[in-house]
Amino acid sequence: MADEIDGVVYRAESFLALGRSDRAETLVREALAQAPRDARLLLALARVLDDQERWSDVLTTTEAALVADPDLVPAHILRAWAAYRLQRWDVMDQHVSVVLAREPENPVAHMCRALSGLRDTSPAGRVRVRESYLLALEYSGGAAWFVRTAAEIEVHLGNTAEARRLVDEGLERFPTDTGLLMTKAGFDGTPTEESLDIVSGMLAGSPTDPRLQAMFDSVVSRRRRRLLTMLWFMPVLLALGCVVPGGGFRAAWVALVLVAGFLVFGVRSATLERLPDPVREELASRAPWRLVTRYGATLAVVAGAGGGVVLSMGGVFGAWGLVVAVLAWAATRAAGLGYERAQARRADDAIAAESGADRGSRAGPLTSRLVRERFRHAFVVPVLLLPLVFVALFPGASPEDEAARSAIGVIAAVVALVAVAEAVVLTASVADGPSARGVLLVVVPVLLAGALLVTSTGGVADAVREWGAQERSRTPLVVPSTTTFDPDRFTPRPAPTVSIPTFEFQEFPEIPDLGVPEG
């Protein structure tokens, strides 16, 4: 019987290595029907459930395995990991302590302790976290999974440079490790082109891997978001140039911003040529979200550049062009967000189908990551926009200055509202998103951004109206006056005298008679 169980466990692990967790689960459950309390079979089932990310079932199965064999250290490890994923810190710490008491050099237990220590944000807590993951790296011999997890911990601690160093060192030892490559491609500091090259290279070897495809889509979406940022950031820079007094500096500033902006879009066009053919075909498609993105971006560029130039030349009504630009950007973001959410759901479904996992109503890992990313974005963006808010609230010295400042206020308000709206929409679409308390926290930035939007829009309108009144007062309409009468205008004047010269005539000589008969 023991040999049969060993054979089942070996075959189940082979199926897991091939990505067939459904076959592995069927095999183990059939064996458990014959030996329902066998600790090795229960541990094998827990590993299958761990691969399927069914953390609650992992806790239940490992508990049964530990009842059958309390000294089964791998069951303690799996139970601690599942507790970490469910954020049940007391259960996690309990089993990590048990493992370390029996195996002080267990690398997984030390890494779990580092992950648990992330809750302590004090300087001393950060030191303990680093000590724990360094021990895990030492005892594991620098295995790829431990390097990747340590890098993710450093990202969480805000030390991206150290995370990149860890990953680069890991890639020197494991240059083809998919996890390390995906981690490097997912760093915010990694250039988008480098990330595309990394993921494209991995996709060439595994074109049907849903995780790689999802990673590629994520990189492309991140690149698109960064590019679309220029649609509202360029109008802000143009408006800031109009806040300073007119002259050569303003003209040079506006020219520099326009050149830099169009260079960015030029680099984008060049980068598109490097994308795989299916991606370029999708970008050139006439899908509704693509049409909104394409024409919305075009309108934002034209309105932003045109409005900024007109405003810099003294035409206060050009501020409305900057307002139109940020509204067009908002439309492109709404269309892009819908597409990103649909992509994440399709990728989650593909991954679940491949592994045989049943998520039920829970959001998949990629959808959850998108929700967390946008929710974090909703809190960071309003803080970063505070300098623009201060510029907008400072009174202008002239209608032109006031229009530029108010346009900056409108742009800041719209950008903040879009960031919050993205988080709220995504959170409402998943069952296990952030808590209701977290959602309620967005009410304050919404109210402040809404008030800023109303006042800044009114400021633009008032500045344009005042400028128009000033322009009309500079060129008054001249109307002939009829209130006075000049009587001398109609007094008869004496007729002018004309001197006619006198002409004296001389007598002509007499004509002789030529004898011509009369008749």
Side-chain angles (χ1 to χ4, degrees):
M1 183 67 179
D3 293 339
E4 294 180 3
I5 292 176
D6 289 340
V8 170
V9 172
Y10 176 79
R11 281 183 289 165
E13 292 177 349
S14 300
F15 280 128
L16 283 179
L18 295 173
R20 297 299 307 274
S21 64
D22 54 338
R23 294 289 302 276
E25 182 179 2
T26 301
L27 182 66
V28 173
R29 289 192 182 279
E30 289 177 353
L32 278 171
Q34 304 298 324
R37 296 184 179 181
D38 187 271
R40 289 171 298 172
L41 289 176
L42 290 170
L43 179 62
L45 179 59
R47 286 172 174 162
V48 172
L49 298 173
D50 174 77
D51 185 74
Q52 297 175 353
E53 299 182 354
R54 294 160 60 180
W55 313 119
S56 297
D57 294 336
V58 172
L59 285 180
T60 303
T61 306
T62 52
E63 183 179 8
L66 289 173
V67 169
D69 185 358
D71 297 328
L72 197 60
V73 171
H76 285 288
I77 292 292
L78 278 177
R79 190 166 175 79
W81 180 252
Y84 164 70
R85 299 305 298 262
L86 295 173
Q87 297 186 1
R88 294 181 59 179
W89 307 112
D90 53 341
V91 176
M92 180 183 183
D93 293 338
Q94 173 191 351
H95 289 277
V96 167
S97 299
V98 171
V99 173
L100 289 177
R102 297 179 181 179
E103 298 182 2
E105 296 184 358
N106 188 293
V108 180
H110 282 287
M111 189 60 76
C112 287
R113 172 161 287 181
L115 293 170
S116 176
L118 290 174
R119 292 173 294 162
D120 185 358
T121 58
S122 66
R126 291 170 176 261
V127 171
R128 287 192 293 269
V129 166
R130 288 193 171 96
E131 290 176 349
S132 296
Y133 85 64
L134 287 174
L135 288 174
L137 289 175
E138 178 184 352
Y139 296 145
S140 68
W145 182 85
F146 293 91
V147 173
R148 185 171 71 252
T149 306
E152 293 173 354
I153 289 175
E154 286 294 350
V155 171
H156 182 84
L157 295 176
N159 193 352
T160 307
E162 179 64 17
R164 288 180 62 86
R165 187 190 67 79
L166 289 169
V167 172
D168 289 339
E169 290 181 356
L171 286 173
E172 290 179 0
R173 298 182 57 195
F174 311 101
T176 60
D177 184 80
T178 302
L180 289 174
L181 288 170
M182 292 180 67
T183 300
K184 184 173 183 178
F187 280 147
D188 289 337
T190 302
T192 306
E193 289 72 18
E194 184 179 358
S195 298
L196 286 175
D197 290 340
I198 292 173
V199 183
S200 298
M202 291 189 293
L203 270 177
S206 304
T208 60
D209 189 334
R211 295 182 184 273
L212 291 178
Q213 186 61 51
M215 184 67 181
F216 182 82
D217 293 338
S218 175
V219 173
V220 173
S221 298
R222 185 178 66 191
R223 176 186 170 278
R224 180 171 56 248
R225 287 195 299 268
R226 290 179 176 177
L227 181 67
L228 291 179
T229 300
M230 285 298 298
L231 298 181
W232 67 264
F233 193 59
M234 186 172 71
V236 165
L237 294 177
L238 292 172
L240 287 173
C242 297
V243 169
V244 301
F249 174 78
R250 176 186 294 183
W253 174 262
V254 171
L256 180 63
V257 171
L258 292 176
V259 170
F262 285 110
L263 279 177
V264 170
F265 289 106
V267 172
R268 169 190 179 274
S269 300
T271 307
L272 288 178
E273 300 300 325
R274 301 170 53 192
L275 295 176
D277 291 339
V279 178
R280 283 189 292 164
E281 292 174 1
E282 186 268 335
L283 292 176
S285 68
R286 299 189 64 83
W289 82 273
R290 281 302 309 161
L291 293 177
V292 173
T293 302
R294 188 179 303 131
Y295 293 120
T298 302
L299 176 60
V301 171
V302 173
V309 171
V310 172
L311 184 60
S312 66
M313 297 174 63
V316 177
F317 61 90
W320 288 120
L322 306 182
V323 174
V324 172
V326 73
L327 294 178
W329 166 83
T332 63
R333 276 302 304 137
L337 179 66
Y339 178 71
E340 291 172 24
R341 182 173 59 177
Q343 272 187 322
R345 286 180 173 175
R346 284 196 299 267
D348 285 332
D349 292 340
I351 294 172
E354 184 185 49
S355 62
D358 182 16
R359 296 198 325 268
S361 61
R362 295 179 296 110
L366 298 176
T367 301
S368 298
R369 184 175 67 182
L370 179 63
V371 172
R372 291 192 300 269
E373 176 189 334
R374 294 291 93 191
F375 202 79
R376 184 168 58 250
H377 186 72
F379 286 99
V380 173
V381 168
V383 176
L384 296 178
L385 292 173
L386 286 178
L388 298 182
V389 175
F390 293 145
V391 173
L393 296 179
F394 196 85
S398 64
E400 182 181 354
D401 187 9
E402 181 64 26
R405 294 177 184 275
S406 298
I408 292 174
V410 172
I411 294 173
V414 171
V415 173
L417 288 173
V418 168
V420 174
E422 288 179 348
V424 172
V425 170
L426 287 175
T427 303
S429 66
V430 298
D432 53 351
S435 62
R437 177 178 176 273
V439 176
L440 289 176
L441 291 177
V442 304
V443 173
V444 174
V446 165
L447 293 177
L448 295 178
L452 178 63
L453 178 62
V454 172
T455 56
S456 297
T457 304
V460 173
D462 292 341
V464 173
R465 185 163 49 248
E466 183 180 354
W467 172 78
Q470 290 181 358
E471 289 297 313
R472 287 191 297 271
S473 65
R474 290 174 184 172
T475 57
L477 181 62
V478 179
V479 180
S481 177
T482 58
T483 58
T484 59
F485 177 75
D486 184 9
D488 294 335
R489 180 176 299 178
F490 300 98
T491 302
R493 297 290 191 271
T497 57
V498 180
S499 298
I500 300 177
T502 302
F503 296 95
E504 296 182 356
F505 297 95
Q506 297 180 354
E507 294 183 357
F508 292 95
E510 185 179 352
I511 300 175
D513 183 10
L514 300 178
V516 180
E518 298 180 358

